[in-house]
Amino acid sequence: MSAALRLLAALAAGLIFGLGLSLSGMLDPARVRGFLDVTGDWDPTLAFVLGGAVSVAAAGYALARRLPRPAFEDAFEAPANRRIDRPLVAGAALFGIGWGLSGFCPGPAVAALSTGAAPVAVFVASMLLGMAAHHRLAGVRPVGRAAP
């Protein structure tokens, strides 16, 4: 499979994902915070987005289980670790706190770069720095690279 075809497929998937995030209102941090504020002025409309995303993901996983391999890669990549351990819980807690404070999670933040808003750029730059620091401190290898 050519690298150009894989990049085109990734670009198309990213554009469709970003369009979906934009149409659903996930690029508006105030709307996301309104959804997360279940004890205050709760906006439940994003629950439909969540339900739609879970439905699409479930259908995708069901399809992937029937396929011998992905269309543009040699094999499916899935996490091998199925344990719920301290690093997983700590990471999930940090993710949730960051999402609640900023109103962004990584996908919508990257898609929101298209708005040109400076706070979004600061968030994405901070997120990338945090990811790089984690990879360096935890010794995480980039996906798709074999151990030396």
Side-chain angles (χ1 to χ4, degrees), residues 19-77:
L19 180 63
L21 292 171
S22 177
L23 291 174
S24 66
M26 292 289 293
L27 303 188
D28 180 2
R31 188 156 181 226
V32 172
R33 283 191 299 265
F35 173 69
L36 297 174
D37 186 11
V38 293
T39 60
D41 190 19
W42 186 47
D43 175 8
T45 57
L46 290 183
F48 293 105
V49 175
L50 177 64
V54 169
S55 299
V56 169
Y61 275 108
L63 176 64
R65 295 182 79 167
R66 296 179 180 193
L67 297 174
R69 64 180 199 81
F72 300 113
E73 290 291 340
D74 295 328
F76 289 104
E77 290 189 28

